[in-house]
Amino acid sequence: MKEITNIKLKTIITEEVIRDGKTILKQVSENLTPNTGLAGFIKRMGGDVSTDGFTYLALGTGTTAAATGDTSLEAEITDSGLARAAATVTYETTTTTGDTLQLYKSFTATGSKNVSEIGVLNASSNGVLGGRVVKTAVPLEANDVYNVRYQIILARA
């Protein structure tokens, strides 16, 4: 059997903060896919109906670096309009037609929070962590719009 070694899973997270109708921050980062995420993706690819699709985005305030053993966000936000939510799911093209799963969610803050981690999960509570990024905190104020675009790309290395 020939081993295929030229496939990789890459994620790109784009964040945008809009305050008073003006974009005040836009940044891009990459995340770590934990072991549970890799296993979950493989199960979904194989048609395992016991593993739900990765369609939820969660925000957190944790600062511990992402690790392969992570199973959840360190400090998930559950209030201030920033609680875990279902994302709009689309299939995009980065290099090859349909090679990118894109999750998009626009959150509106109802209070002040510093968002320093973002995760993709497969359930509205608990669930399997498909990816986690820990980054410089983004300070949000009440009425800020926080747009998150989370892309998971399956590509040739």
Side-chain angles (χ1 to χ4, degrees):
M1 173 192 263
K2 183 177 179 182
E3 182 177 346
I4 300 173
T5 59
N6 63 345
I7 300 292
K8 67 178 178 175
L9 183 71
K10 179 178 181 178
T11 55
I12 299 173
I13 300 98
T14 305
E15 308 163 81
E16 176 183 47
V17 177
I18 300 171
R19 183 174 293 152
D20 299 324
K22 296 179 181 159
T23 299
I24 63 166
L25 174 94
K26 189 168 188 176
Q27 64 185 17
V28 177
S29 53
E30 294 186 25
N31 85 323
L32 176 117
T33 303
N35 297 339
T36 56
L38 292 175
F41 293 146
I42 291 298
K43 286 180 180 179
R44 286 298 296 176
M45 287 170 54
D48 182 338
V49 295
S50 70
T51 302
D52 292 326
F54 292 85
T55 60
Y56 290 87
L57 289 173
L59 309 174
T61 59
T63 57
T64 303
T68 58
D70 288 346
T71 58
S72 64
L73 295 184
E74 179 182 357
E76 187 171 337
I77 297 171
T78 58
D79 61 0
S80 303
L82 304 171
R84 185 186 309 191
T88 298
V89 177
T90 58
Y91 303 95
E92 306 295 327
T93 298
T94 299
T95 304
T96 304
T97 302
D99 63 354
T100 303
L101 169 65
Q102 178 172 281
L103 307 175
Y104 177 82
K105 179 66 183 163
S106 184
F107 296 89
T108 300
T110 59
S112 298
K113 290 286 182 182
N114 290 317
V115 177
S116 54
E117 58 180 337
I118 301 171
V120 61
L121 296 109
N122 73 341
S124 60
S125 63
N126 299 319
V128 175
L129 182 66
R132 177 175 177 243
V133 63
V134 178
K135 72 228 176 14
T136 303
V138 173
L140 298 177
E141 298 176 2
N143 300 314
D144 283 353
V145 174
Y146 185 56
N147 296 322
V148 177
R149 183 176 65 190
Y150 200 110
Q151 296 176 305
I152 302 170
I153 305 161
L154 189 59
R156 291 180 180 86

